[in-house]
Amino acid sequence: MQSMLKLIMLALALFFITENVLAYNEPNHCLITQRAIDLLNHRFGLDYITEAETNAILKGNSSEDAFGHKWLIRLWNQHFFNPLKPRQLWERNKSIDVRFERIADRCVARATASDFFFRVGEVVHHIQDATNPAHVVPVYHGGPLKDKFDEQLITNYLPETVALDTVTTYPAPFTLSILKPVAVRTLDNVKQPFVIQVAHHNAVSAKTIDWSYFWQENATAWFGAYGLLGAPTSDKPRKKIDNYWNTEIRHGDTSYSIDKRDYERFSSQQLEVAVRHTANFIRYAKTLHGRP
């Protein structure tokens, strides 16, 4: 009986792991991190971030979404974070704040350790997650429900340059100094207005909306939901993805037309925030490691 119970518990654990959530997929995390490192090396010299340091940062970055030795951590620490939610609405294992405080503290405290840059990679992973609206509104996704902002092809929207900050430091609590400014910027950007075309029968009209039509916050609960335009329209129960990047979305007799350029502007904007804050933290980490 005990063996059967253990098997059931293991099966449930594996189920939840496979249903767990990612923000940017692993290749996108690596592309953001590499672009940040390239910009730092362009600014401060080709060996400012060495090849060995780069490899360690990339490995640490990818590890935060891996299910290997971190499987239990990933089960109980999902990568959602909204610092503006009332504390009574926070779902403890659904927010990254406790784990982030721990890994950031470990990173800063081990500035001379051999695995320091691996720890830097862990930290910047969550900086990047905080630029994904689904992770800060937040809107639950995982398993059969994919978030297209995670999966989008980002190579055309990575910034060629960013305004590097060479003076900012990151004191404890690290959730407030590192993650909160990025998350608040994302929440502000979700409120940016743009115009779509709405067609109902033979009438077409312009309508001003914002990105909450894709990721809608819930004022009385931790998780929001995909909004009117973001909600998946697929009827396949095991394969659903939201409507981000769709230029034509239909609900019944009403169709909504979104200009591709509005998606391009929003993705470019969020990726600029991701690359800039990633670069700024790596620069700060480098000073802790002994090089200004």
Side-chain angles (χ1 to χ4, degrees), residues 17 26 52 54 63 69 71 87 97-98 105 137 152 163 215 275 285:
I17 289 172
E26 183 177 340
T54 296
S63 74
H69 69 284
W71 70 271
R87 296 296 296 189
D97 62 312
V98 173
D105 181 69
V137 169
Q152 64 182 314
W215 303 278
V275 171

Side-chain angles (χ1 to χ4, degrees), residues 22-36 58 61-62 65 124-125 128-129 131-132 147-159 244-245 267 271 274-275 278:
L22 309 177
Y24 295 104
N25 61 27
E26 183 177 340
N28 282 348
H29 271 292
C30 289
L31 286 169
I32 293 167
T33 306
Q34 186 66 61
R35 178 58 57 89
L58 291 171
N61 188 299
S62 297
D65 276 340
V124 299
H125 178 103
Q128 295 160 12
D129 280 359
T131 66
N132 182 334
D147 184 86
K148 202 178 291 186
F149 196 92
D150 295 346
E151 308 291 335
Q152 64 182 314
L153 182 64
I154 69 171
T155 49
N156 292 334
Y157 308 109
L158 289 168
Y244 189 73
W245 280 111
S267 287
L271 287 164
V275 171
T278 296

